[in-house]
Amino acid sequence: MLLLKPNCECCDRDLPPASADARICSFECTFCADCVDQVLNGACPNCGGNFVPRPIRPAALLAHRPASSERVLAKDGPCLERRPAA
């Protein structure tokens, strides 16, 4: 079952379970469509694989199989420049 991570690992943008802008690789690294296209050039920085749109879990199923609340962020590379200042 997919984790449905809550954010883009590059810019930290929120990606709720119903987001059509979420993209994942085969290892479920999660990024927003903007970062995939503009920063990562379609290749996952972690595994080198491609991205596909993340499936949307029906809202009725989220109660029993909730999305992850753990935020993951890239630790280096071009993504660091995309994040809001802390």
Side-chain angles (χ1 to χ4, degrees):
M1 179 175 55
L2 292 175
L3 293 173
L4 302 178
K5 295 176 187 175
N7 65 303
C8 173
E9 295 180 32
C10 190
C11 70
D12 200 26
R13 174 181 165 194
D14 288 340
L15 293 171
S19 176
D21 289 329
R23 302 290 183 266
I24 59 172
C25 72
S26 65
F27 289 97
E28 206 177 341
C29 300
T30 304
F31 297 89
C32 69
D34 287 343
C35 286
V36 165
D37 295 339
Q38 298 173 15
V39 179
L40 304 174
N41 298 314
C44 178
N46 302 317
C47 71
N50 67 317
F51 291 100
V52 297
R54 182 180 71 188
I56 294 174
R57 186 170 300 155
L61 297 177
L62 285 170
H64 298 289
R65 307 246 191 245
S68 174
S69 60
E70 181 181 344
R71 297 180 86 82
V72 176
L73 292 171
K75 293 179 174 61
D76 54 28
C79 291
L80 296 179
E81 298 172 12
R82 300 273 298 181
R83 288 196 204 125

